[in-house]
Amino acid sequence: MSEAQAPETEATENLTLVQAVRDGLHDAMADDDSVLVMGEDVGKNGGVFRATEGLYEEFGDDRVIDTPLSEAGIAGTAVGMAAYGLRPVAEMQFMGFIYPAFDQIVSHAARLRTRSRGRFTCPLVVRAPYGGGIRAPEHHSESTEAFFVHQPGLKVVIPSTPYDTKGLLVSAIRDPDPVVFLEPKLIYRSFREDVPEGPYEVPIGEAAVRREGSDVSVFTYGAMTRPTLEAAEDLAEEGVDAEVVDLRTVSPIDEETILASFEKTGRAAVVHEAPKTGGLAAEITATIQEDALLYQEAPIERITGFDTPFPLYALEDYYLPEPARIKDGIREAAEF
């Protein structure tokens, strides 16, 4: 973290990931009167996952706005607010509910700067819990981040730790352009981490090397980071030294870190829970082959969800990459 991005104090709190979301929203709102939160049940109820709990009581109903049940209306209103100087944070209760707002996000939020030739920007954050593993009904377990990565003008951020969640959320809120901020709800309350009090920034567009290694590079993000690290530790006992890179931002992607890791190891695997076809693994593979082909020693493994609708209960654990399947994929890349 650079000096300008450092937290205001050295005091910390031990937070879960969802508590870090709430903390980031609170500190950004306290720091800047133009920041507001809007969405279904975000006010008095504190949100479906309690990510906005207490904000209504502290900041009032003009800055914590309960909206009608209309994702298109939430996003469209937020675009207008952002164009005229506010910094709205719009919550979609689940990523599977975001599609009615897709037109507003990609046709208006993402294009406002170029459409107005720089006269207007759109400092908007669209938050959405995403991903599977919580035994939810249909439309509650989507992992379709690639839809938004494909759209120029949008940044797409996916944290995997409480520390990064708060810092990246503050960065997203302060960004002059729209950010889709996807929160891996599988790990909302899975573990805790010391998080600085007060606002601080984690830079958008920079990956983090979670585990140094020399044999194979493994790229992942969100809820898949922890099982990937678990698989890497298991493989270390077999003599395979895997480097694990947590992308943190999937648009813009940190090509420099990806290529530096691959040039060191010559082998790679990519892990994500989204379907395989057209997913981020394909983009990362293409980037490596375009810019680091001469370092490549083995086919790049894609360890992903399947090209099917997200299944219900009985098959959910089979669909998601878990440590054993991740370990098998990494081993294939390392032993080719």
Side-chain angles (χ1 to χ4, degrees):
M1 234 172 4
S2 69
E3 186 106 10
Q5 297 166 331
E8 293 179 355
T9 71
E10 295 183 3
T12 62
E13 297 178 274
N14 199 240
L15 302 180
T16 63
L17 195 146
V18 73
Q19 288 172 331
V21 171
R22 190 263 175 205
D23 215 41
L25 291 171
H26 174 274
D27 288 355
M29 294 177 77
D31 191 54
D32 184 348
D33 290 342
S34 70
V35 179
L36 59 92
V37 171
M38 57 193 298
E40 299 156 14
D41 298 325
V42 299
K44 293 183 179 180
N45 286 344
V48 66
F49 291 102
R50 302 297 180 259
T52 56
E53 192 168 34
L55 299 181
Y56 180 88
E57 290 75 14
E58 182 164 352
F59 296 104
D61 60 5
D62 60 338
R63 295 186 64 198
V64 184
I65 303 167
D66 280 320
T67 67
L69 201 162
S70 171
E71 285 76 18
I74 294 167
T77 302
V79 170
M81 289 176 166
Y84 283 92
L86 297 174
R87 290 183 177 271
V89 181
E91 178 184 296
M92 305 291 158
Q93 283 193 340
F94 292 88
M95 192 176 190
F97 300 168
I98 205 170
Y99 310 125
F102 192 79
D103 182 40
Q104 295 291 343
I105 295 169
V106 304
S107 298
H108 301 293
R111 300 169 189 261
L112 192 58
R113 179 187 285 275
T114 52
R115 178 180 292 148
S116 66
R117 298 183 183 179
R119 181 182 175 192
F120 295 105
T121 59
C122 193
L124 159 67
V125 177
V126 178
R127 289 183 45 243
Y130 94 107
I134 65 166
R135 306 297 189 262
E138 187 183 13
H139 297 305
H140 290 69
S141 301
E142 312 289 288
S143 182
T144 50
E145 59 273 12
F147 287 172
F148 298 99
V149 170
H150 191 69
Q151 178 59 46
L154 293 178
K155 296 181 175 74
V156 184
V157 174
I158 307 180
S160 68
T161 69
Y163 180 92
D164 281 354
T165 295
K166 180 176 176 179
L168 285 166
L169 183 55
V170 171
S171 294
I173 292 169
R174 291 175 175 175
D175 197 284
D177 292 301
V179 179
V180 177
F181 194 90
L182 301 178
E183 300 160 10
K185 60 183 179 290
L186 176 61
I187 56 172
Y188 258 163
R189 294 178 172 85
S190 295
F191 63 100
R192 293 178 176 270
E193 183 179 45
D194 286 340
V195 175
E197 294 180 359
Y200 62 93
E201 295 183 26
V202 171
I204 291 174
E206 292 186 13
V209 179
R210 301 293 185 194
R211 185 186 191 280
E212 297 277 354
S214 58
D215 293 335
V216 56
S217 301
V218 190
F219 306 106
T220 189
Y221 52 90
M224 293 297 99
T225 302
R226 287 170 67 80
T228 300
L229 285 167
E230 182 181 335
E233 292 301 327
D234 287 348
L235 283 168
E237 298 178 4
E238 302 176 15
V240 176
D241 189 19
E243 180 155 295
V244 178
V245 179
D246 177 2
L247 298 178
R248 301 196 293 193
T249 302
V250 293
S251 182
I253 203 163
D254 186 354
E255 294 185 7
E256 183 177 346
T257 298
I258 290 170
L259 294 172
S261 179
F262 185 77
E263 288 171 7
K264 178 170 65 171
T265 66
R267 301 167 188 271
V270 188
V271 183
H272 61 63
E273 62 183 279
K276 185 176 185 178
T277 300
L280 266 293
E283 180 63 29
I284 292 166
T285 299
T287 297
I288 289 171
Q289 301 224 307
E290 287 173 349
D291 297 323
L293 179 62
L294 297 182
Y295 294 88
Q296 188 168 347
E297 297 180 17
I300 297 170
E301 294 292 326
R302 290 186 284 173
I303 308 158
T304 71
F306 300 105
D307 291 337
T308 66
F310 194 91
L312 297 180
Y313 315 117
L315 293 175
E316 192 167 7
D317 290 340
Y318 178 75
Y319 179 93
L320 292 172
E322 41 77 40
R325 181 150 72 95
I326 295 170
K327 188 163 65 171
D328 287 344
I330 297 171
R331 189 188 293 111
E332 283 192 34
E335 295 181 351
F336 179 83

